[in-house]
Amino acid sequence: MVCLGNICRSPMADGILRKKIQDRGLDMKVDSAGTAAYHVGEAPDRRMRRTGIDNNVPIDDLRARQFVVQDFDRFDVIFAMDKSNYNNILSLARDEDDVQKVKMMLNESNPGQNLEVPDPYYGGDEGFQNVYNMLDIAVDAFLERVNG
Ligand code: 4NP
């Protein structure tokens, strides 16, 4: 799960997917990262942590890191939250295999539309619940697609 800062959207997506995997007894490896390094080592944004707790998906223990080219080797699917993240990840791709791994997260719930998870960082508190709701639906659609 990849966004810009790895303190709002991608840690929430990471937490939601981890929780659903655990609840369903599945075996998948999940992690998140940011394309930028501004917040490396930080916990998720306080407002996103609050939203996680409110929705029973705590993400307080996650710490931000930057996306690295080795992530193409460690993961089968790389989800970008918006088009800017998508293009930044693609700029690091080494070959066609890497390119094929990169997907827009909301294309799981809204195929082919290339919709973006809006960056809630500079907005109001309602933006965080909105992000949660979008990710919850998209992650369900992803698990349905890959696990039935
Ligand atoms: P995120 O949100 O990409 O969802 O983690 C942001 C967090 C921090 C900044 C931008 C977006 N920032 O500019 O510091």
mmCIF file of all heavy atoms in Angstrom, residues 14-32:
data_model
loop_
_atom_site.group_PDB
_atom_site.id
_atom_site.type_symbol
_atom_site.label_atom_id
_atom_site.label_comp_id
_atom_site.label_asym_id
_atom_site.label_seq_id
_atom_site.Cartn_x
_atom_site.Cartn_y
_atom_site.Cartn_z
ATOM 1 N N ASP A 14 -3.150 -0.461 4.820
ATOM 2 C CA ASP A 14 -2.343 -1.551 5.380
ATOM 3 C C ASP A 14 -3.085 -2.193 6.559
ATOM 4 O O ASP A 14 -3.277 -3.419 6.608
ATOM 5 C CB ASP A 14 -1.002 -0.918 5.813
ATOM 6 C CG ASP A 14 -0.005 -1.862 6.422
ATOM 7 O OD1 ASP A 14 -0.377 -2.964 6.854
ATOM 8 O OD2 ASP A 14 1.180 -1.468 6.493
ATOM 9 N N GLY A 15 -3.548 -1.365 7.495
ATOM 10 C CA GLY A 15 -4.243 -1.878 8.679
ATOM 11 C C GLY A 15 -5.527 -2.618 8.325
ATOM 12 O O GLY A 15 -5.825 -3.675 8.890
ATOM 13 N N ILE A 16 -6.284 -2.061 7.394
ATOM 14 C CA ILE A 16 -7.558 -2.687 6.993
ATOM 15 C C ILE A 16 -7.287 -4.047 6.348
ATOM 16 O O ILE A 16 -7.954 -5.043 6.673
ATOM 17 C CB ILE A 16 -8.331 -1.762 6.026
ATOM 18 C CG1 ILE A 16 -8.858 -0.527 6.773
ATOM 19 C CG2 ILE A 16 -9.482 -2.513 5.359
ATOM 20 C CD1 ILE A 16 -9.425 0.563 5.861
ATOM 21 N N LEU A 17 -6.321 -4.106 5.458
ATOM 22 C CA LEU A 17 -6.022 -5.388 4.789
ATOM 23 C C LEU A 17 -5.492 -6.412 5.795
ATOM 24 O O LEU A 17 -5.918 -7.568 5.804
ATOM 25 C CB LEU A 17 -5.038 -5.176 3.640
ATOM 26 C CG LEU A 17 -4.655 -6.433 2.850
ATOM 27 C CD1 LEU A 17 -5.877 -7.185 2.329
ATOM 28 C CD2 LEU A 17 -3.716 -6.072 1.693
ATOM 29 N N ARG A 18 -4.586 -5.990 6.674
ATOM 30 C CA ARG A 18 -4.068 -6.908 7.706
ATOM 31 C C ARG A 18 -5.200 -7.497 8.538
ATOM 32 O O ARG A 18 -5.204 -8.696 8.847
ATOM 33 C CB ARG A 18 -3.148 -6.172 8.689
ATOM 34 C CG ARG A 18 -1.733 -6.044 8.248
ATOM 35 C CD ARG A 18 -0.968 -5.205 9.278
ATOM 36 N NE ARG A 18 0.102 -4.513 8.599
ATOM 37 C CZ ARG A 18 1.394 -4.842 8.704
ATOM 38 N NH1 ARG A 18 1.762 -5.815 9.484
ATOM 39 N NH2 ARG A 18 2.311 -4.181 8.041
ATOM 40 N N LYS A 19 -6.130 -6.633 8.948
ATOM 41 C CA LYS A 19 -7.215 -7.086 9.814
ATOM 42 C C LYS A 19 -8.116 -8.075 9.087
ATOM 43 O O LYS A 19 -8.492 -9.115 9.653
ATOM 44 C CB LYS A 19 -8.025 -5.894 10.310
ATOM 45 C CG LYS A 19 -9.234 -6.290 11.143
ATOM 46 C CD LYS A 19 -9.489 -5.295 12.245
ATOM 47 C CE LYS A 19 -10.496 -5.804 13.251
ATOM 48 N NZ LYS A 19 -11.830 -5.977 12.695
ATOM 49 N N LYS A 20 -8.450 -7.792 7.854
ATOM 50 C CA LYS A 20 -9.326 -8.702 7.108
ATOM 51 C C LYS A 20 -8.643 -10.039 6.842
ATOM 52 O O LYS A 20 -9.288 -11.091 6.862
ATOM 53 C CB LYS A 20 -9.769 -8.039 5.797
ATOM 54 C CG LYS A 20 -10.732 -6.871 6.004
ATOM 55 C CD LYS A 20 -11.197 -6.291 4.677
ATOM 56 C CE LYS A 20 -11.954 -4.973 4.862
ATOM 57 N NZ LYS A 20 -13.266 -5.132 5.527
ATOM 58 N N ILE A 21 -7.341 -10.008 6.593
ATOM 59 C CA ILE A 21 -6.578 -11.244 6.387
ATOM 60 C C ILE A 21 -6.617 -12.103 7.646
ATOM 61 O O ILE A 21 -6.858 -13.308 7.604
ATOM 62 C CB ILE A 21 -5.123 -10.911 5.985
ATOM 63 C CG1 ILE A 21 -5.082 -10.390 4.549
ATOM 64 C CG2 ILE A 21 -4.206 -12.114 6.162
ATOM 65 C CD1 ILE A 21 -3.759 -9.767 4.176
ATOM 66 N N GLN A 22 -6.390 -11.424 8.783
ATOM 67 C CA GLN A 22 -6.408 -12.135 10.070
ATOM 68 C C GLN A 22 -7.803 -12.698 10.356
ATOM 69 O O GLN A 22 -7.942 -13.871 10.715
ATOM 70 C CB GLN A 22 -5.982 -11.174 11.171
ATOM 71 C CG GLN A 22 -5.742 -11.840 12.507
ATOM 72 C CD GLN A 22 -5.243 -10.838 13.548
ATOM 73 O OE1 GLN A 22 -5.431 -9.628 13.412
ATOM 74 N NE2 GLN A 22 -4.608 -11.343 14.578
ATOM 75 N N ASP A 23 -8.822 -11.874 10.157
ATOM 76 C CA ASP A 23 -10.194 -12.300 10.439
ATOM 77 C C ASP A 23 -10.597 -13.497 9.588
ATOM 78 O O ASP A 23 -11.405 -14.329 10.011
ATOM 79 C CB ASP A 23 -11.186 -11.157 10.161
ATOM 80 C CG ASP A 23 -11.080 -10.042 11.193
ATOM 81 O OD1 ASP A 23 -10.380 -10.222 12.207
ATOM 82 O OD2 ASP A 23 -11.693 -8.975 10.972
ATOM 83 N N ARG A 24 -10.066 -13.559 8.373
ATOM 84 C CA ARG A 24 -10.458 -14.631 7.440
ATOM 85 C C ARG A 24 -9.488 -15.797 7.433
ATOM 86 O O ARG A 24 -9.661 -16.754 6.656
ATOM 87 C CB ARG A 24 -10.594 -14.060 6.026
ATOM 88 C CG ARG A 24 -11.694 -13.011 5.960
ATOM 89 C CD ARG A 24 -11.732 -12.260 4.646
ATOM 90 N NE ARG A 24 -12.502 -11.030 4.828
ATOM 91 C CZ ARG A 24 -12.999 -10.296 3.838
ATOM 92 N NH1 ARG A 24 -12.817 -10.670 2.593
ATOM 93 N NH2 ARG A 24 -13.671 -9.201 4.098
ATOM 94 N N GLY A 25 -8.451 -15.728 8.271
ATOM 95 C CA GLY A 25 -7.495 -16.831 8.348
ATOM 96 C C GLY A 25 -6.677 -17.011 7.082
ATOM 97 O O GLY A 25 -6.230 -18.116 6.770
ATOM 98 N N LEU A 26 -6.439 -15.912 6.357
ATOM 99 C CA LEU A 26 -5.655 -15.980 5.121
ATOM 100 C C LEU A 26 -4.176 -15.795 5.431
ATOM 101 O O LEU A 26 -3.806 -15.369 6.528
ATOM 102 C CB LEU A 26 -6.124 -14.894 4.148
ATOM 103 C CG LEU A 26 -7.600 -14.958 3.754
ATOM 104 C CD1 LEU A 26 -8.003 -13.704 2.971
ATOM 105 C CD2 LEU A 26 -7.884 -16.219 2.931
ATOM 106 N N ASP A 27 -3.334 -16.109 4.467
ATOM 107 C CA ASP A 27 -1.891 -15.968 4.633
ATOM 108 C C ASP A 27 -1.355 -15.064 3.523
ATOM 109 O O ASP A 27 -1.113 -15.518 2.415
ATOM 110 C CB ASP A 27 -1.226 -17.349 4.574
ATOM 111 C CG ASP A 27 0.276 -17.257 4.787
ATOM 112 O OD1 ASP A 27 0.749 -16.245 5.339
ATOM 113 O OD2 ASP A 27 0.987 -18.204 4.373
ATOM 114 N N MET A 28 -1.225 -13.784 3.829
ATOM 115 C CA MET A 28 -0.672 -12.820 2.871
ATOM 116 C C MET A 28 0.200 -11.848 3.631
ATOM 117 O O MET A 28 -0.095 -11.510 4.775
ATOM 118 C CB MET A 28 -1.810 -12.032 2.185
ATOM 119 C CG MET A 28 -2.737 -12.876 1.344
ATOM 120 S SD MET A 28 -4.226 -11.953 0.851
ATOM 121 C CE MET A 28 -3.559 -10.860 -0.362
ATOM 122 N N LYS A 29 1.249 -11.397 2.978
ATOM 123 C CA LYS A 29 2.147 -10.410 3.589
ATOM 124 C C LYS A 29 1.708 -9.008 3.160
ATOM 125 O O LYS A 29 1.450 -8.784 1.975
ATOM 126 C CB LYS A 29 3.573 -10.684 3.101
ATOM 127 C CG LYS A 29 4.621 -9.758 3.650
ATOM 128 C CD LYS A 29 6.023 -10.206 3.251
ATOM 129 C CE LYS A 29 6.294 -9.971 1.767
ATOM 130 N NZ LYS A 29 7.674 -10.333 1.378
ATOM 131 N N VAL A 30 1.625 -8.104 4.117
ATOM 132 C CA VAL A 30 1.154 -6.737 3.834
ATOM 133 C C VAL A 30 2.132 -5.736 4.417
ATOM 134 O O VAL A 30 2.647 -5.929 5.523
ATOM 135 C CB VAL A 30 -0.228 -6.484 4.481
ATOM 136 C CG1 VAL A 30 -0.765 -5.112 4.081
ATOM 137 C CG2 VAL A 30 -1.214 -7.567 4.113
ATOM 138 N N ASP A 31 2.357 -4.647 3.684
ATOM 139 C CA ASP A 31 3.148 -3.551 4.235
ATOM 140 C C ASP A 31 2.728 -2.262 3.523
ATOM 141 O O ASP A 31 1.967 -2.315 2.547
ATOM 142 C CB ASP A 31 4.645 -3.824 4.045
ATOM 143 C CG ASP A 31 5.508 -3.005 4.997
ATOM 144 O OD1 ASP A 31 4.951 -2.306 5.888
ATOM 145 O OD2 ASP A 31 6.739 -3.038 4.855
ATOM 146 N N SER A 32 3.210 -1.141 4.027
ATOM 147 C CA SER A 32 2.915 0.126 3.375
ATOM 148 C C SER A 32 4.157 0.998 3.355
ATOM 149 O O SER A 32 5.106 0.772 4.121
ATOM 150 C CB SER A 32 1.752 0.841 4.076
ATOM 151 O OG SER A 32 2.055 1.098 5.428
#
